[in-house]
Amino acid sequence: MHTPNNPQYPQQGASFQAVQEDEIDLKALLFNYLKYWPILGICMFAGILIAFLVNRYSTPVYKVESSVIVVDDKPTLGADLFEAGGLLQGKSNVENEIGILKSYTLAEETLSELNLNVLYFSDGFINQQQMYGNVPVLIEVDWRHPQLVGGMFRIEVLDNEKFSLSIEDDGFQVYNPADPFYKSKLTQDPFIKSIQYFGEEIKGDNYKIKVQNISALAGEKLLFQLKDSPSLALQYKNNISINPINKQASILTLGLETPVRRLGEDYLNKLMEMYLARELKEKNRAAENTILFIEEQLSGITDSLTYFENRLERYRSENRIFNLSQEGSQIFERLQELEKEKSQSEISLKYYQTLQTYLSNDQLDDLVAPSIIGVTDPLLNALVINLSELQAERIRLTANFSEQTPAVREVRSKIQNTKKALQENVNSAIRNTNNMLFELNNRIRTIEREINTLPETERRLLGIQRQFTINENIYIYLLQKRAEAEITRASNMPKNSILDNARALQNPIAPKKTLNLLIGLILGLILPIGVITVRDFLNTKIEDPKELENQLKVPLIGVIGRSTGDDGIPVLNNPRSSVTEAFRSLRADLSYLAVNKQKTCILFTSSISGEGKTFISINMASVFSLMGKKTVLVGLDLRKPKIAEDFRMINDKGMSTCLSTDMPWQSVVKPSGYENLDVILSGPIPPNPAELLLQDKFAVIMDEIKEAYDIVILDCPPVGLVSETKELFNYADVSFYVFRQDYSQKGNIQILNNLVEKGGVKKVYGILNDVHIDTGYGYGYGYGYGYGYGGNSYGYHDDVHVPWWKRALKRK
């Protein structure tokens, strides 16, 4: 018996009770779920079955891997000076190469070499397998024309010449080559199913393709899908993974997940090939710019050299003079050295001026390395090389990110700083070169004065030969530099290299079969438990006797099961039933609740109508009558009387008759038809039931009834609906408050608690009626009979066999 926290009722040790209740709650929670074991089992089986089907019919995905070696750049001469000054910031070569390998531009160049814009699929029963390489038909696409991309086409081969073309999946977008990065939605159906011929052009407003038969046979079916290059490049760019093998290493591992192993291997191999080709192109760009610069200078020198060569030959022939005198030769040699030095300085000045022009016009892609021209300034050489690399990095980043991205802004800031330093260095070099030329011109003019002392014929010959020699030296110098640049271009090799070619792993990485089965099992367990938990949380009706017992401030004295038939008096008509045993047990408990009382008045009430207080009142009166106790059942529910129906009586007179007239109560007593049991019905429904029960005459009648009978059972109206019941508690020796499983609201518990705490009602106990739902733990009273109660207004009906799945899905 539950002991409430009330001075009327004795208490056990608080700590022991708390521990015991915690343990019972944990067990009750466990058993509450275990009672749904068939549903849990079915859900877990369904989860495993779904996971098995996913494993069975999912397209396997393979991991393809390759690796490259990244060689760190050696610092150029003078670069360490700038890094120490903070002008040239250090960079991570590995991170840069990762960025290049993951760039959109490199992915697009790779795809243009592989021609992967058409995807072919075999027509499977459940899923579609992608085909690659040996395909039965070839789709030729004119990408200069708008095309339908994204959706799926179906081809069914009719014979060697014809095929049927239709739409399989209508998820198309329109790719326009005039605006390749933005696709528009398709507003109309592309075309209906049609018969086409192999090799003939299929053209519409948004498509232009040809289908060539390679090895397709009649009746063969396949699907194909068109992918535009920008979308495809973006897809591969996002799917590829590039990581160093560890933080200290400069070896990069490239990974790609794909359902077609050979396709992944071809893509990674081609990607590495294009990566090395790009690096070589970047290296050759400086040599190509140098060759172009030299050839521009040679085009002017060649004409001057030819002119002075012809003029020298004519002068020698006309004046019959071929060699200079000893004095003239000495002067010419001195002058030739100065002119050679002057010509090299002029070439350097032209380079500086060209470099200055490029910087002013932001032609950073056309920069020529000064070391190739012959300028040996290490400072200038380091600045030009660093600026070229920064420009290449900016181009790579802007191909994938916007101008406002922090990485792009950082590179742009570095370019501005390096460009400013280079401009200052070039301006200084131009000033120094002009000073050198000024000094050389002064020395040349000094020698020219010595030339004036020579004979006129020799003097003129020396002047012509001098011009010829100057152009010849420049021409030879430029030819030498061009040859060096060409040799440099021919000998260039990528500094990075392929370590491992692409290779697919033997086993697929997806689907993860064991993990999927485990997830299916867990979800099959968690989902129904979650549903049960939410349902129980949202349930506002009383189901669990233990929960009722814990929340009541009074003892829960009894649990009555559900009756098996339509009979409302199982105690009299079915004395061997388990429900009858429950009432006998309740009768036995009353000997402890009303000690040393030869005559007892027992009251039954509830919160609302329909909770079974009349059913319990009738059967409690019956169970006492079977003991030989002279018992009377008094119907005090003057608003909604029910007792007459169960005893098949006419409610023509009763307590309302006595209270409203002078008729004595003995005149309204009716025999029940059973020994030792009389019934006083409530009588006709009066207009003022509360006032009738509250008059002094009712108290007199009750005293007389108690004297006349051993047991008085009061069937009172619901205390939660009417007010007079609170006064009726005073007439009872023991009061019972009836709750009904899966019918009474949990809020009704507080009504009884308030009666005890605030209303001062004493000697009141709880009864749970119509117990038919197994809460999985037991009730602690031994009444878990599983019989039925319900039906009419109080709900009586036959006990029928309810399948377990209905009991689990529940209710009523």
Side-chain angles (χ1 to χ4, degrees):
M1 183 184 301
H2 170 68
T3 305
N5 186 15
N6 191 301
Q8 302 177 62
Y9 309 103
Q11 294 183 346
Q12 298 176 0
S15 60
F16 173 79
Q17 181 182 359
V19 173
Q20 188 180 33
E21 287 184 356
D22 288 344
E23 292 178 355
I24 292 176
D25 288 343
L26 181 61
K27 293 178 182 178
L29 182 64
L30 176 62
F31 282 102
N32 182 53
Y33 292 120
L34 288 180
K35 70 180 180 180
Y36 296 98
W37 67 265
I39 291 181
L40 296 178
I42 291 174
C43 291
M44 287 189 289
F45 175 77
I48 294 175
L49 179 61
I50 292 173
F52 172 78
L53 294 176
V54 169
N55 292 338
R56 174 66 178 81
Y57 293 105
S58 294
T59 301
V61 177
Y62 296 88
K63 181 70 174 288
V64 183
E65 292 183 335
S66 63
S67 58
V68 296
I69 300 177
V70 177
V71 179
D72 292 332
D73 290 327
K74 296 180 180 179
T76 55
L77 184 61
D80 53 346
L81 300 176
F82 295 102
E83 292 179 0
L87 182 61
L88 302 182
Q89 300 184 19
K91 57 183 182 298
S92 172
N93 193 49
V94 172
E95 292 296 327
N96 288 344
E97 300 308 310
I98 291 176
I100 293 172
L101 285 165
K102 283 185 68 69
S103 66
Y104 170 87
T105 303
L106 191 62
E108 191 174 37
E109 292 174 356
T110 304
L111 292 170
S112 65
E113 293 290 324
L114 292 175
N115 190 24
L116 300 179
N117 296 91
V118 182
L119 282 66
Y120 301 88
F121 300 89
S122 61
D123 188 14
F125 175 69
I126 293 181
N127 56 357
Q128 300 153 353
Q129 296 291 335
Q130 185 176 352
M131 297 186 295
Y132 177 73
N134 186 21
V135 292
V137 299
L138 177 66
I139 312 298
E140 298 177 357
V141 185
D142 185 359
W143 290 104
R144 297 168 298 180
H145 188 278
Q147 296 291 350
L148 295 173
V149 297
M152 194 78 72
F153 296 90
R154 171 183 287 274
I155 288 179
E156 183 175 355
V157 180
L158 302 178
D159 52 39
N160 292 334
E161 296 181 353
K162 299 190 298 294
F163 64 93
S164 171
L165 181 64
S166 59
I167 300 298
E168 175 72 12
D169 180 14
D170 190 13
F172 291 100
Q173 290 180 305
V174 178
Y175 166 78
N176 190 346
D179 193 5
F181 294 101
Y182 298 95
K183 295 182 286 294
S184 59
K185 292 184 179 179
L186 185 65
T187 58
Q188 57 184 2
D189 291 337
F191 55 82
I192 59 175
K193 183 175 180 180
S194 59
I195 305 300
Q196 304 290 341
Y197 288 86
F198 288 110
E200 289 188 358
E201 187 177 81
I202 306 172
K203 184 177 180 181
D205 293 339
N206 297 318
Y207 54 90
K208 186 178 181 182
I209 60 175
K210 285 183 181 179
V211 181
Q212 303 289 354
N213 190 349
I214 305 300
S215 60
L217 302 176
E220 192 168 355
K221 300 176 184 179
L222 59 94
L223 308 170
F224 72 91
Q225 184 182 41
L226 303 184
K227 286 270 192 175
D228 58 286
S229 294
S231 299
L232 204 59
L234 189 62
Q235 174 187 334
Y236 275 93
K237 170 187 175 298
N238 294 331
N239 289 346
I240 194 171
S241 62
I242 304 173
N243 299 291
I245 58 174
N246 56 59
K247 293 182 179 180
Q248 289 74 32
S250 59
I251 298 178
L252 300 178
T253 299
L254 286 69
L256 181 66
E257 297 178 2
T258 173
V260 184
R261 287 181 282 189
R262 183 180 166 192
L263 172 61
E265 292 172 350
D266 288 350
Y267 178 81
L268 284 187
N269 287 330
K270 181 59 69 173
L271 180 72
M272 293 187 295
E273 180 184 329
M274 300 302 296
Y275 164 70
L276 296 181
R278 174 199 172 278
E279 181 188 347
L280 183 59
K281 182 180 178 181
E282 290 293 326
K283 281 191 169 185
N284 289 337
R285 186 175 61 179
E288 291 170 353
N289 290 340
T290 302
I291 294 172
L292 180 62
F293 174 79
I294 292 174
E295 287 179 347
E296 289 175 355
Q297 305 303 318
L298 281 174
S299 63
I301 294 297
T302 302
D303 294 339
S304 299
L305 182 61
T306 303
Y307 171 76
F308 284 110
E309 184 181 15
N310 294 334
R311 186 178 175 186
L312 180 60
E313 290 179 357
R314 286 198 308 271
Y315 187 82
R316 284 176 173 174
S317 176
E318 291 173 357
N319 295 280
R320 297 181 180 278
I321 182 171
F322 298 98
N323 295 315
L324 297 172
S325 63
Q326 184 177 2
E327 182 181 1
S329 297
Q330 292 175 352
I331 294 173
F332 180 74
E333 288 176 1
R334 289 162 53 199
L335 187 61
Q336 187 179 13
E337 291 294 329
L338 292 174
E339 292 288 357
K340 182 178 180 181
E341 188 175 350
K342 178 184 176 182
S343 64
Q344 292 179 355
S345 297
E346 288 177 342
I347 291 175
S348 297
L349 181 61
K350 288 182 180 180
Y351 169 74
Y352 295 141
Q353 291 171 343
T354 302
L355 190 58
Q356 191 179 46
T357 302
Y358 287 162
L359 293 175
S360 300
N361 298 332
D362 281 334
Q363 295 176 263
L364 303 184
D365 292 335
D366 299 328
L367 296 180
V368 179
S371 58
I372 299 179
I373 302 300
V375 178
T376 58
D377 185 355
L379 212 57
L380 183 66
N381 190 59
L383 285 169
V384 171
I385 292 176
N386 190 267
L387 186 59
S388 298
E389 292 177 349
L390 288 173
Q391 174 66 6
E393 186 174 359
R394 188 188 72 83
I395 293 173
R396 175 184 63 80
L397 290 174
T398 52
N400 300 282
F401 306 103
S402 66
E403 290 288 340
Q404 300 304 318
T405 304
V408 177
R409 294 170 62 183
E410 181 182 1
V411 171
R412 191 166 61 242
S413 176
K414 290 180 181 180
I415 289 176
Q416 293 299 324
N417 293 335
T418 307
K419 179 181 173 182
K420 182 178 179 181
L422 183 57
Q423 285 175 329
E424 294 176 357
N425 192 276
V426 169
N427 292 335
S428 176
I430 290 175
R431 289 193 299 270
N432 293 337
T433 305
N434 285 328
N435 293 335
M436 183 179 295
L437 287 173
F438 180 77
E439 182 181 351
L440 289 173
N441 286 330
N442 288 338
R443 293 169 64 185
I444 289 173
R445 282 193 292 272
T446 301
I447 296 175
E448 286 177 345
R449 287 195 290 270
E450 296 180 15
I451 294 176
N452 292 333
T453 62
L454 297 175
E456 181 179 356
T457 304
E458 189 174 359
R459 188 170 65 248
R460 290 183 177 180
L461 176 62
L462 190 147
I464 297 172
Q465 188 170 354
R466 171 189 169 192
Q467 294 296 327
F468 172 76
T469 303
I470 290 173
N471 286 280
E472 184 182 34
N473 289 337
I474 294 174
Y475 184 75
I476 293 172
Y477 176 78
L478 291 175
L479 287 179
Q480 179 184 355
K481 291 300 179 182
R482 185 176 70 175
E484 292 175 358
E486 290 177 345
I487 292 172
T488 300
R489 180 175 64 179
S491 61
N492 272 340
M493 292 290 292
K495 68 178 184 299
N496 302 327
S497 59
I498 299 174
L499 180 61
D500 293 318
N501 285 322
R503 181 178 61 85
L505 301 181
Q506 186 66 28
N507 297 320
I509 61 171
K512 301 183 184 299
K513 297 184 178 181
T514 303
L515 180 61
N516 288 346
L517 292 173
L518 181 60
I519 292 175
L521 177 63
I522 293 175
L523 289 179
L525 180 63
I526 290 178
L527 289 180
I529 287 179
V531 172
I532 294 170
T533 302
V534 171
R535 193 214 63 187
D536 289 344
F537 177 77
L538 298 177
N539 184 22
T540 61
K541 295 181 179 180
I542 298 173
E543 287 186 2
D544 187 4
K546 294 303 297 180
E547 181 181 3
L548 174 62
E549 181 183 25
N550 291 332
Q551 294 186 20
L552 281 176
K553 301 297 183 181
V554 299
L556 179 62
I557 201 65
V559 176
I560 308 299
R562 172 168 284 186
S563 179
T564 58
D566 294 331
D567 186 10
I569 316 177
V571 169
L572 297 176
N573 299 327
N574 191 8
R576 299 180 61 184
S577 69
S578 298
V579 175
T580 302
E581 284 299 320
F583 283 106
R584 290 193 182 108
S585 178
L586 185 58
R587 181 185 64 188
D589 289 338
L590 278 170
S591 62
Y592 300 99
L593 301 178
V595 181
N596 298 325
K597 281 190 175 288
Q598 299 297 323
K599 298 188 177 189
T600 307
C601 181
I602 306 170
L603 180 147
F604 291 92
T605 187
S606 63
S607 300
I608 59 175
S609 177
E611 291 177 303
K613 60 178 180 55
T614 300
F615 170 78
I616 294 178
S617 299
I618 293 173
N619 285 279
M620 281 302 298
S622 301
V623 81
F624 276 107
S625 69
L626 293 176
M627 286 181 63
K629 296 280 187 178
K630 188 177 181 181
T631 306
V632 63
L633 174 62
V634 183
L636 297 181
D637 191 350
L638 304 184
R639 290 177 174 83
K640 196 174 181 181
K642 294 293 182 182
I643 296 176
E645 296 179 8
D646 293 307
F647 284 99
R648 295 178 175 85
M649 299 177 180
I650 299 175
N651 192 22
D652 53 349
K653 59 182 180 178
M655 185 59 69
S656 63
T657 309
C658 297
L659 296 175
S660 59
T661 65
D662 293 333
M663 182 180 293
W665 66 270
Q666 291 84 355
S667 301
V668 299
V669 175
K670 294 186 177 184
S672 65
Y674 300 96
E675 188 178 359
N676 298 323
L677 178 59
D678 292 332
V679 178
I680 300 177
L681 299 177
S682 59
I685 299 175
N688 55 343
E691 287 74 12
L692 290 179
L693 292 176
L694 295 179
Q695 59 185 326
D696 295 337
K697 184 178 181 180
F698 176 73
V700 174
I701 292 174
M702 284 302 304
D703 289 338
E704 293 177 358
I705 292 175
K706 290 180 181 180
E707 286 293 329
Y709 290 91
D710 296 330
I711 302 295
V712 179
I713 304 295
L714 303 181
D715 178 26
C716 298
V719 72
L721 298 179
V722 299
S723 59
E724 60 266 26
T725 305
K726 296 179 182 179
E727 300 296 331
L728 298 178
F729 282 109
N730 298 322
Y731 298 100
D733 298 314
V734 179
S735 300
F736 290 99
Y737 200 99
V738 179
F739 299 92
R740 180 178 172 186
Q741 189 183 49
D742 199 34
Y743 183 87
S744 301
Q745 298 291 328
K746 293 181 179 178
N748 295 348
I749 299 174
Q750 192 60 36
I751 297 177
L752 176 55
N753 291 338
N754 289 336
L755 285 174
V756 175
E757 294 179 343
K758 301 177 182 179
V761 177
K762 299 180 180 180
K763 301 286 284 185
V764 60
Y765 302 92
I767 293 178
L768 182 60
N769 183 38
D770 189 27
V771 176
H772 59 283
I773 299 172
D774 183 9
T775 56
Y777 182 69
Y779 310 133
Y781 301 95
Y783 302 125
Y785 302 110
Y787 295 95
Y789 171 86
N792 54 22
S793 62
Y794 287 165
Y796 312 110
H797 63 72
D798 288 334
D799 182 26
V800 295
H801 176 70
V802 182
W804 64 265
W805 58 271
K806 285 189 176 181
R807 294 199 305 270
L809 292 176
K810 182 180 137 319
R811 312 255 107 118
K812 291 186 181 179

